[in-house]
Amino acid sequence: DTGVSQDPRHKITKRGQNVTFRCDPISEHNRLYWYRQTLGQGPEFLTYFQNEAQLEKSRLLSDRFSAERPKGSFSTLEIQRTEQGDSAMYLCASSTGQGADEQYFGPGTRLTVT
Amino acid sequence: GNSVTQMEGPVTLSEEAFLTINCTYTATGYPSLFWYVQYPGEGLQLLLKATKADDKGSNKGFEATYRKETTSFHLEKGSVQVSDSAVYFCALEGSGNTGKLIFGQGTTLQVKP
């Protein structure tokens, strides 16, 4: 098992452009989470999936953000019309979905909006 | 709403010193509590957890006890090593089995030889 992977690891984009990130969870994990982390802060929850169903979205997730998990495996997070305030580390995590189970985190995608 | 507050860092200790990182929480119901650690250049990983009051989580010499009366989950280690240098995050999962984690802001620990 190779763990949770994310692609790309780094993304620099100009304000107003669209970006898409990919997360590949651990294969047998039903749940997939997206978090955002800014410098000096802890991760903040954005959204999560149980298989292919998106079950909760944070109020942090504006209309410019969309996430999918089309076949209950990998997930994508798209940000449209990026703003400088979107600059952050975007973390993906997966878990089995059992109560209080461990979430396995990927290395993150660092987004810089210029 | 649910929230987690950690002591501010950085914390700088000499090797073999005693470590305490304070964590308090606000939550409705009966949350589960976690400590995650991020070593330099690596992703977040679970260090320990406790799922009910008075439970003690432990791993790699670290311990934390779920204290409902003080809404705390302080992290302790009796003798730190240089390899413990990392950022430590306290987190809670609220009731409802969503798995959604609410994190504290993190505490950086630097251990000097």
Side-chain angles (χ1 to χ4, degrees):
Chain A
D1 189 346
T2 57
V4 178
S5 61
Q6 292 186 245
D7 184 69
R9 295 290 304 277
H10 304 274
K11 179 70 177 177
I12 300 173
T13 191
K14 293 184 186 302
R15 189 175 54 191
Q17 298 295 303
N18 299 343
V19 295
T20 300
F21 309 141
R22 177 180 170 122
C23 171
D24 287 89
I26 293 171
S27 57
E28 64 269 25
H29 284 180
N30 298 322
R31 286 198 176 166
L32 187 147
Y33 301 84
W34 286 99
Y35 295 86
R36 181 171 68 188
Q37 185 177 20
T38 53
L39 199 61
Q41 300 299 314
E44 295 174 295
F45 171 80
L46 293 179
T47 188
Y48 88 100
F49 294 83
Q50 174 85 27
N51 299 313
E52 66 274 12
Q54 187 174 19
L55 297 186
E56 186 173 343
K57 292 194 294 186
S58 164
R59 282 171 286 182
L60 291 175
L61 216 63
S62 76
D63 291 345
R64 297 184 297 104
F65 288 71
S66 62
E68 295 182 341
R69 194 182 183 196
K71 296 183 180 179
S73 56
F74 73 92
S75 175
T76 58
L77 178 67
E78 181 182 17
I79 308 174
Q80 296 183 327
R81 305 181 302 283
T82 52
E83 301 173 356
Q84 287 189 319
D86 297 331
S87 296
M89 179 76 85
Y90 290 83
L91 299 172
C92 176
S94 70
S95 74
T96 61
Q98 305 299 316
D101 64 340
E102 178 175 359
Q103 290 186 22
Y104 292 80
F105 283 80
T109 295
R110 182 169 295 284
L111 173 66
T112 302
V113 181
T114 62
Chain B
N2 296 343
S3 66
V4 175
T5 302
Q6 290 181 236
M7 66 185 283
E8 291 195 14
V11 175
T12 302
L13 295 174
S14 297
E15 209 166 17
E16 299 183 2
F18 185 85
L19 168 71
T20 300
I21 300 178
N22 290 339
C23 171
T24 57
Y25 67 90
T26 302
T28 55
Y30 301 93
S32 296
L33 301 174
F34 304 81
W35 279 98
Y36 277 80
V37 60
Q38 188 166 31
Y39 298 104
E42 299 184 16
L44 276 165
Q45 55 188 274
L46 179 66
L47 180 60
L48 54 83
K49 70 178 182 183
T51 58
K52 60 184 188 295
D54 300 325
D55 267 3
K56 178 185 284 187
S58 61
N59 187 24
K60 299 182 181 180
F62 291 89
E63 293 183 338
T65 301
Y66 187 163
R67 302 283 188 203
K68 191 164 177 62
E69 64 275 13
T70 54
T71 62
S72 65
F73 193 54
H74 303 322
L75 182 68
E76 297 182 335
K77 186 174 186 183
S79 176
V80 293
Q81 305 300 312
V82 172
S83 57
D84 294 326
S85 298
V87 184
Y88 293 82
F89 294 93
C90 185
L92 72 80
E93 176 189 334
S95 48
N97 192 27
T98 66
K100 179 174 75 176
L101 293 175
I102 307 297
F103 285 88
Q105 75 270 32
T107 303
T108 300
L109 170 66
Q110 184 177 20
V111 181
K112 296 188 173 181

